[in-house]
């Protein structure tokens, strides 16, 4: 290596030693170090004046306190790749004294376009004139969570005045707010004058009006304004979904002092899987939803959910058809087969003993007559019937008394078990499946829900599509939708399935249905239970404010109280009171048994008469003469 090269390296090394040993900067960047420590961020990106000495000292000092810093000279290239952050908070400082107004304005506008004024970024703008910096600031993406500080440097860079800058909501014509944040001096360091949290200082939106949207109700009278209808103090679970959304949103508006401009959406376009409210958010026609939205994959890319609020579900409600079939096993069900065998053995033994005792009562009868009489008497007594036997002997009376006692105990066992089985027998209900509902042949209708077609035509549920095409679309168009009161009346009559929000129909069911009808109710889900969420536009500056507002409502119990007020208690089936009359299908086995006995008796009678006539004919006796005589 030549001597000249060694000389250059020696001079550069000496300059670096001088720089690292000096410990001070000419542009007052000591303040950046104090401010970064105050913010507690571990990542920092800076746009400086490209002075080597100042940049090296800044890098050295920040590395000692654990702050990773990248220093750049602002050029024409984009700042997106430098300050984009998804997982941790990052700080950005920009020295406006090093650039012209156009360059600074372009950088701040680009940051606004990329939404870099949120909770994941804090900004420090250094300048020599407050008015100059405010002129180049683009506050389009500013909000209550914006952390944007302007530091005005004194002429000798010995002190700085700090100003806190934010705009509550530019979309509602909010104005830029500037307030003193504190000051910094080389001797005393950083002194912050603002107290309290950032949100508490900015929670007053000063009457800004936010646009919100609801689904239009078929139950609201035309002459009643929507705000009056939704805020009605009467307890009415009809449109409880929208009433709840308006009530809690109104509480948040009173908490943060902003107004509401309510809009209604009455049509869900065919083939639209997002819905009118989601479209309105995406098109910036509204600022926040009133009626909350279902959380699904397509909407996640278009809106920002802030808080789960309403337990949303819809279902078809019907009275399950009870099976109409004759069950002969119910006659024998109270006793096991062993008990029936023992009963038959007892009847046989008692009949034999009674036959023996009757032989001492009347010797004129044949043994067949005595055994037949004994068997019929035993069976009759077992069936709670009387007897006309002449009982002269004590032994006969004892056996008759024994049979009566056995019959009495058996009858009580049998009847109690029959009643117990009938009360404990579960009511037949069809499965929670629209495919099963399709097989029943029930008539069907729905409440006036503008999202009904969306729920029916979801591609992820094949049984819903089959039910919609094969059953619902075949219903006459004027019978597909009806008010809840009319639909519940049809459900009460049976053979009808009505679709609605459960909290809409429950009050009518509790008022009109008896206990047995309530026990027969079945719910077949269309939209299964899920918590819908209040949402704002995807790049909204209200995200953090709304999250805090709804969280406070939950902590105070307001959300739970409104849910209890606007939802209805599910009808309760009281099993102890589930008593109904005996149906023809339940009584049919006994009638059939009686009919079989009657037919059998008639058949035997006919056989006996034929046999008697044949016997008389063989003896040569004129039957007509005998009968006439």
């Amino acid at each position: 290596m030549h001597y000249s090269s060694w000389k250059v390296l020696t001079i550069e090394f000496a300059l670096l030693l001088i720089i690292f040993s000096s410990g001070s900067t000419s542009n007052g960047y000591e303040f950046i170090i104090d401010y970064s420590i105050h913010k507690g961020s571990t990542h920092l990106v800076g746009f400086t004046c490209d002075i080597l000495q100042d940049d090296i000292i800044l890098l050295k000092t920040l590395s000692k306190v654990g702050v990773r810093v990248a220093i750049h000279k602002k050029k024409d290239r984009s700042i997106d790749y430098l300050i984009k952050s998804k997982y941790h908070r990052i700080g950005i400082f920009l020295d406006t004294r090093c650039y012209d107004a156009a360059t600074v304005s372009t950088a701040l506008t680009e940051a606004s376009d990329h939404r870099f004024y949120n909770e994941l970024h804090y900004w420090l703008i250094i300048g020599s004139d407050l008015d100059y910096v405010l002129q180049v600031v683009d506050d389009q993406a500013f909000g209550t969570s914006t952390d944007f500080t302007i530091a005005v440097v004194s002429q000798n860079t010995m002190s700085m005045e700090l100003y806190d800058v934010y705009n509550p909501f530019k979309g509602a014509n909010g104005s830029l707010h500037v307030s003193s944040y504190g000051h910094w001096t080389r001797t005393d360091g950083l002194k912050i004058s603002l107290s309290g949290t950032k949100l508490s200082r900015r929670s007053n939106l000063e009457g800004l009006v936010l646009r919100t949207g609801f689904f239009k109700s078929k139950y609201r009278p035309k002459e009643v304004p929507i705000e009056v209808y939704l805020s009605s103090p009467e307890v009415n679970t009809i449109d409880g979904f929208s009433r709840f959304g308006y009530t809690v949103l109104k509480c948040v508006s009173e908490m943060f002092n902003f107004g509401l401009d309510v809009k209604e959406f009455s049509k869900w376009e065919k083939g639209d899987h997002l819905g009118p409210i989601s479209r309105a958010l995406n098109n910036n026609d509204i600022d926040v939803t009133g009626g909350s939205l279902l959380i699904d994959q397509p909407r996640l890319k278009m809106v920002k959910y802030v808080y789960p609020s309403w337990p949303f579900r819809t279902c078809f409600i019907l009275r399950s058809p009870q099976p109409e079939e004759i069950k002969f096993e119910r006659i024998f069900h109270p006793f096991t087969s062993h008990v029936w065998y023992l009963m038959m053995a007892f009847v046989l033994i008692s009949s034999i003993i009674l036959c023996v005792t009757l032989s001492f009562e009347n010797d004129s009868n044949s043994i067949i007559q005595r055994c037949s009489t004994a068997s019929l008497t035993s069976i009759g007594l077992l069936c709670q019937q009387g007897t006309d036997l002449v009982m002269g002997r004590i032994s006969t009376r004892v056996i008759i008394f024994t049979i009566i006692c056995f019959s009495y105990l058996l009858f009580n066992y049998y009847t109690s078990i029959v009643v117990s089985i009938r009360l404990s027998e579960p009511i037949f209900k069809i499965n929670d499946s629209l495919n099963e509902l399709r097989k029943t042949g029930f008539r069907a209708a729905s409440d006036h829900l503008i999202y009904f077609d969306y729920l029916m035509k979801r591609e992820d549920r094949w049984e819903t599509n089959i039910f919609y095409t094969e059953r619902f679309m075949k219903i006459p168009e004027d019978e597909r939708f009806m008010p809840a009161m009319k639909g519940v009346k049809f459900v009460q009559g049976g053979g009808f399935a009505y679709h609605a929000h459960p909290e809409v129909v429950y009050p009518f069911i509790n008022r009109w249905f008896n206990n047995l009808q309530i026990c027969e109710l079945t719910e077949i889900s269309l939209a299964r239970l899920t918590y819908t969420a209040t949402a704002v536009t995807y790049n909204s500056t209200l995200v953090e404010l709304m999250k805090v507002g709804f969280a406070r409502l939950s902590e105070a119990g307001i959300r739970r109280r409104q849910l209890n007020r606007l939802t209805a208690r599910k009808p309760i089936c009281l099993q102890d009171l589930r008593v109904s009359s005996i149906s023809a299908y339940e009584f049919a086995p006994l009638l059939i048994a009686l009919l079989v006995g009657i037919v059998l008796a008639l058949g035997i009678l006919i056989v006996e008469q034929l046999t008697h006539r044949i016997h008389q004919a063989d003896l040569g006796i004129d039957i007509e003469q005998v009968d006439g005589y």
Side-chain angles (χ1 to χ4, degrees):
M1 184 177 291
H2 298 289
Y3 173 76
S4 59
S5 299
W6 278 106
K7 186 176 181 179
V8 171
L9 288 176
T10 304
I11 293 173
E12 289 180 353
F13 182 72
L15 288 173
L16 288 175
L17 288 177
I18 293 172
I19 289 172
F20 278 105
S21 62
S22 62
S24 63
T25 63
S26 60
N27 286 311
Y29 285 171
E30 300 96 328
F31 160 71
I32 297 176
I33 300 170
D34 292 341
Y35 189 79
S36 299
I37 295 173
H38 165 70
K39 286 295 183 180
S41 177
T42 58
H43 298 79
L44 189 64
V45 175
F47 300 95
T48 64
C49 299
D50 201 22
I51 299 176
L52 181 61
Q53 177 181 351
D54 294 343
D55 293 348
I56 292 179
I57 292 176
L58 186 61
L59 286 168
K60 175 184 176 183
T61 309
L62 287 175
S63 64
K64 288 182 179 180
V65 295
V67 178
R68 299 177 181 179
V69 59
I71 297 177
H72 297 267
K73 173 69 176 177
K74 182 66 183 80
K75 298 180 180 179
D76 295 335
R77 63 185 304 178
S78 173
I79 64 172
D80 177 37
Y81 78 103
L82 293 174
I83 63 177
K84 187 175 182 179
S85 178
K86 290 184 178 180
Y87 306 106
H88 52 260
R89 203 159 184 250
I90 186 172
I92 306 101
F93 69 88
L94 173 62
D95 193 341
T96 62
R97 297 171 298 173
C98 310
Y99 308 98
D100 55 47
T103 303
V104 175
S105 178
T106 301
L108 297 180
T109 301
E110 184 181 353
S112 180
D113 295 337
H114 290 291
R115 303 289 170 173
F116 289 149
Y117 298 119
N118 52 27
E119 282 288 339
L120 291 178
H121 300 83
Y122 72 88
W123 288 77
L124 176 62
I125 307 300
I126 302 173
S128 55
D129 183 31
L130 178 62
D131 294 334
Y132 166 76
V133 178
L134 292 177
Q135 289 177 0
V136 297
V137 168
D138 182 0
D139 61 342
Q140 187 66 38
F142 278 23
T144 54
S145 60
T146 299
D147 197 333
F148 194 89
T149 303
I150 298 177
V152 179
V153 187
S154 62
Q155 293 183 355
N156 56 7
T157 69
M158 294 295 292
S159 64
M160 292 187 182
E161 290 295 328
L162 277 65
Y163 298 92
D164 182 52
V165 181
Y166 78 99
N167 189 329
F169 186 46
K170 186 75 171 180
N173 298 322
S175 59
L176 201 63
H177 289 61
V178 181
S179 57
S180 177
Y181 187 68
H183 66 278
W184 174 88
T185 62
R186 284 187 175 179
T187 56
D188 298 332
L190 181 63
K191 301 294 183 181
I192 304 299
S193 59
L194 283 179
S195 60
T197 63
K198 180 172 57 179
L199 186 62
S200 64
R201 298 194 306 266
R202 303 174 178 180
S203 59
N204 187 357
L205 297 187
E206 301 177 353
L208 295 177
V209 178
L210 304 185
R211 300 163 299 171
T212 182
F214 294 88
F215 293 119
K216 187 174 182 179
S217 170
K218 293 286 186 179
Y219 297 97
R220 178 176 69 85
K222 294 181 179 180
E223 66 276 6
V224 179
I226 182 172
E227 294 87 349
V228 177
Y229 176 74
L230 295 179
S231 60
S232 174
E234 64 175 317
V235 178
N236 192 344
T237 58
I238 293 180
D239 290 324
F241 177 60
S242 297
R243 291 175 186 268
F244 173 82
Y246 182 81
T247 302
V248 295
L249 193 58
K250 192 68 176 177
C251 291
V252 175
S253 71
E254 294 173 355
M255 187 186 306
F256 297 129
N257 189 23
F258 62 85
L260 293 175
D261 178 17
V262 180
K263 298 183 178 182
E264 283 187 302
F265 298 91
S266 58
K267 186 177 182 181
W268 193 301
E269 296 294 339
K270 186 177 181 180
D272 184 7
H273 296 287
L274 297 174
I277 293 183
S278 300
R279 293 288 181 189
L281 275 180
N282 188 54
N283 297 333
N284 202 30
D285 294 330
I286 60 175
D287 304 312
V288 59
T289 60
S292 49
L293 302 177
L294 289 173
I295 303 175
D296 57 10
Q297 188 67 29
R299 290 193 180 105
L300 288 174
K301 301 177 182 179
M302 301 179 63
V303 302
K304 189 77 72 176
Y305 295 100
V306 294
Y307 199 78
S309 53
W310 178 264
F312 179 92
R313 75 184 184 103
T314 68
C315 60
F316 283 91
I317 296 180
L318 64 144
R319 288 179 58 191
S320 291
Q322 299 308 305
E324 298 179 348
E325 55 183 8
I326 300 174
K327 297 181 179 180
F328 289 97
E329 65 273 10
R330 288 190 176 182
I331 299 177
F332 306 100
H333 188 67
F335 294 149
T336 63
S337 57
H338 296 85
V339 175
W340 288 108
Y341 294 149
L342 289 174
M343 287 175 55
M344 294 171 62
F346 174 81
V347 171
L348 179 62
I349 294 173
S350 61
S351 298
I352 293 173
I353 296 175
L354 184 59
C355 180
V356 172
T357 58
L358 288 178
S359 64
F360 296 99
E361 295 282 352
N362 187 1
D363 295 336
S364 61
N365 294 330
S366 65
I367 187 172
I368 296 177
Q369 287 181 319
R370 291 198 303 270
C371 290
S372 176
T373 301
S375 300
L376 290 176
T377 301
S378 298
I379 296 174
L381 292 175
L382 192 67
C383 296
Q384 300 287 305
Q385 302 299 314
T387 180
D388 59 348
L389 286 178
V390 178
M391 295 173 286
R393 294 181 176 275
I394 298 177
S395 58
T396 305
R397 296 179 182 181
V398 169
I399 188 62
I400 293 296
F401 178 76
T402 302
I403 296 174
I404 291 174
C405 292
F406 176 78
S407 173
Y408 173 76
L409 296 175
L410 181 67
F411 177 79
N412 281 275
Y413 274 115
Y414 188 87
T415 54
S416 61
I417 293 174
V418 167
V419 173
S420 176
I421 291 175
R422 193 169 186 276
L423 291 178
S424 61
E425 186 177 16
I427 292 180
F428 171 79
K429 292 187 178 182
I430 63 177
N431 295 330
D432 185 4
S433 169
L434 288 175
N435 193 40
E436 293 295 325
L437 177 59
R438 179 180 62 87
K439 298 176 182 178
T440 61
F442 273 29
R443 294 183 300 148
S446 174
D447 194 7
H448 299 281
L449 306 176
I450 70 171
Y451 39 83
F452 177 77
D453 285 347
Y454 164 74
L455 297 176
M456 274 291 186
K457 296 178 181 179
R458 295 179 63 177
E459 298 178 354
D460 55 341
R461 297 190 63 182
W462 63 269
E463 62 177 3
T464 303
N465 297 328
I466 293 177
F467 177 82
Y468 183 74
T469 55
E470 296 186 5
R471 286 296 311 279
F472 197 83
M473 292 303 295
K474 295 181 180 179
I475 301 173
E477 190 171 353
D478 58 341
E479 298 179 5
R480 295 176 187 174
F481 300 94
M482 61 181 63
M485 185 178 297
K486 182 178 179 181
V488 175
K489 280 292 186 182
F490 282 125
V491 172
Q492 187 178 22
F496 191 87
Y498 184 68
H499 173 262
H501 291 284
E503 58 271 4
V504 173
V505 299
Y506 281 167
F508 299 115
I509 293 175
N510 284 319
R511 192 183 311 160
W512 297 336
F513 284 35
N514 59 39
N515 184 66
L516 179 62
Q517 292 171 340
I518 291 176
C519 293
E520 292 177 349
L521 287 178
T522 299
E523 296 180 0
I524 299 181
S525 300
L526 178 58
R528 299 188 181 277
L529 178 62
T530 181
Y531 274 89
T532 57
T534 302
V536 296
T537 54
Y538 191 80
N539 292 319
S540 176
T541 61
L542 300 172
V543 174
E544 299 301 326
L545 186 73
M546 289 296 175
K547 285 182 178 179
V548 172
F550 281 104
R552 288 180 180 177
L553 291 184
S554 294
E555 292 172 356
I558 295 177
R559 174 182 172 274
R560 173 53 56 186
R561 181 161 60 87
Q562 294 301 323
L563 280 177
N564 293 337
R565 185 176 75 90
L566 295 171
T567 55
R569 178 180 63 87
K570 183 177 182 179
I572 300 175
C573 171
L574 302 176
Q575 296 290 342
D576 297 339
L577 302 179
R578 187 170 58 83
V579 180
S580 61
S581 302
I582 299 294
S583 66
Y585 291 94
E586 293 178 287
F587 193 63
L590 304 180
L591 294 177
I592 293 175
L594 177 61
L595 182 62
V596 170
I598 294 174
V599 172
L600 181 62
L602 289 175
I604 294 176
L605 176 62
I606 293 172
V607 171
E608 287 180 340
Q609 290 297 321
L610 291 176
T611 304
H612 177 68
R613 288 177 179 272
I614 294 172
H615 179 68
Q616 293 294 334
D618 292 341
L619 295 177
I621 301 175
D622 189 352
I623 299 176
E624 294 183 354
Q625 292 180 357
V626 173
D627 292 340
Y629 178 80

